[in-house]
Amino acid sequence: MPRLAEDAVLARGGLAYRLPARMTRPETLAQLRALLESARPHQWAKNLLVFVPAVLSGTIADPDRMLSVGLAFVALCLIASGTYLLNDIRDLEDDRRHWSKCKRPLPSGRLSVGMAMVAAPVAIVLGLLLSAAVGPMTALAAACYLGLTLAYSLVIKRIPILDVSVLAGLFTLRLVLGIASAQVYASPWLLVFSMFLFSSLCLAKRYVELVRAGQRGTSALSHRGYQAADGPLLLVLGPSAGMGAVVTLILYVMFDAFRQTFYGNTAWLWAFPLILFLWVSRIWLKAARGELDDDPVAFAVRDVPSILLGAVMLCAFVFAWSGLFG
């Protein structure tokens, strides 16, 4: 653990945590770097979901709406990073025993608990204020996201199955935040699709954690409520939820997207279900082989085939929207 001058001690769970009083410039820079790492900026990619409603509604080119959605994105990143810090503080001892989470700044000692306890509420308050500046419905959606995240961290994450449902709900709330900030129509197909897809990804995360725990001689995820016997169930529920997302996307294309007037050639939208099927299948193939990271989203942003599939889907959307080759 890096040397830190101290002038106060916080007691939590019977352990003493030292708060930095005076730090040298290198120590301060090291703490700031560790704080940024604990904020998990790579997870901000998930918050890009707030732009999806504007894209699907054809209002992405409206500067005023994009400004509002951009501010909502920044607000959500601040709130999410603040809750990540609070969660890491609460789970400090469990994370120190975890095979990969022990390398995070707080469990490893690279970031002081005192610094985290100051930064977390500051980030959350700034995020809420920024969301309120966008509009009352955006502020309400952000507050709901914060409340559900805290409930998850405190209680729900220890309740099997419900935990992944709530995580999927948090992803869907990102879409709701985008709908509120862009002031567009909320497609029920989009929200149902989101619940299926992210339930599948969250189940993959739990399955991988359970398999890794077994490989290390632990029969259960005691801090999550899962047992070794739950593995086959997760392996059934996860791909099934993913295929539910594929079916929902097909229904969206058939009964909603084809009616939208801003598409130049809707035939290109048929590429979406196929690409999604390939990607979900790859995620679960990697999970079954034990080759998936703890976080499927973090895996996807580094996985070359996933990136290529995303690029193909983006091209298909551009062709559908512009009417090229149609």
Side-chain angles (χ1 to χ4, degrees):
M1 181 178 293
R3 182 187 64 82
L4 292 173
E6 71 244 15
D7 63 357
V9 173
L10 288 177
R12 178 182 179 273
L15 298 175
Y17 300 118
R18 303 179 185 277
L19 293 176
R22 298 181 182 84
M23 292 186 291
T24 63
R25 182 180 178 83
E27 288 174 337
T28 300
L29 292 176
Q31 285 283 294
L32 291 176
R33 285 193 295 269
L35 180 62
L36 179 60
E37 183 180 343
S38 288
R40 304 178 202 175
H42 64 280
Q43 298 283 7
W44 295 346
K46 300 175 182 178
N47 299 333
L48 291 173
L49 286 171
V50 301
F51 290 95
V52 171
V55 172
L56 296 180
S57 65
T59 59
I60 189 69
D62 186 329
D64 292 333
R65 297 196 189 200
M66 282 304 94
L67 176 60
S68 296
V69 176
L71 291 175
F73 170 78
V74 174
L76 188 56
C77 290
L78 288 169
I79 294 171
S81 292
T83 56
Y84 290 148
L85 288 168
L86 291 178
N87 186 66
D88 286 351
I89 293 170
R90 178 175 174 78
D91 290 347
L92 188 56
E93 298 310 316
D94 286 335
D95 289 350
R96 284 174 173 166
R97 295 188 293 267
H98 192 273
W99 70 276
S100 65
K101 295 179 182 179
C102 64
K103 300 174 185 178
R104 291 177 178 175
L106 270 172
S108 66
R110 291 184 288 118
L111 176 65
S112 74
V113 176
M115 178 76 76
M117 292 185 71
V118 171
V122 169
I124 290 172
V125 170
L126 286 176
L128 290 175
L129 291 175
L130 192 57
S131 66
V134 176
M137 295 305 297
T138 303
L140 178 60
C144 289
Y145 177 89
L146 173 61
L148 192 57
T149 301
L150 294 178
Y152 171 82
S153 297
L154 294 173
V155 179
I156 297 174
K157 70 180 179 181
R158 293 173 174 81
I159 305 176
I161 307 302
L162 180 61
D163 63 331
V164 296
S165 300
V166 170
L167 284 175
L170 288 172
F171 278 101
T172 304
L173 269 175
R174 290 173 167 93
L175 293 173
V176 173
L177 195 71
I179 290 168
S181 57
Q183 298 181 6
V184 296
Y185 168 71
S187 170
W189 294 109
L190 176 63
L191 301 182
V192 173
F193 165 79
S194 173
M195 287 298 299
F196 273 121
L197 176 61
F198 292 111
S199 290
S200 179
L201 297 182
C202 293
L203 285 163
K205 177 181 175 68
R206 288 291 177 265
Y207 178 77
V208 170
E209 288 179 336
L210 196 58
V211 170
R212 295 279 169 82
Q215 292 172 346
R216 285 161 177 75
T218 304
S219 61
L221 296 175
S222 58
H223 62 296
R224 296 295 187 188
Y226 289 91
Q227 302 176 5
D230 299 333
L233 174 63
L234 299 183
L235 197 53
V236 171
L237 290 178
S240 299
M243 294 308 103
V246 174
V247 172
T248 304
L249 186 55
I250 292 172
L251 293 174
Y252 163 75
V253 172
M254 291 174 59
F255 297 111
D256 195 331
F258 277 12
R259 299 177 181 178
Q260 302 298 331
T261 58
F262 56 83
Y263 287 118
N265 182 8
T266 53
W268 286 102
L269 297 178
W270 285 117
F272 283 26
L274 175 60
I275 295 171
L276 181 66
F277 171 81
L278 293 173
W279 185 68
V280 170
S281 299
R282 175 171 176 77
I283 289 293
W284 278 101
L285 179 67
K286 289 292 185 180
R289 291 177 175 178
E291 299 174 357
L292 187 68
D293 291 348
D294 276 1
D295 188 339
V297 176
F299 166 81
V301 299
R302 298 192 302 267
D303 180 55
V304 174
S306 296
I307 294 172
L308 291 176
L309 286 172
V312 173
M313 182 175 282
L314 178 62
C315 289
F317 176 80
V318 171
F319 293 157
W321 179 72
S322 64
L324 292 175
F325 308 110

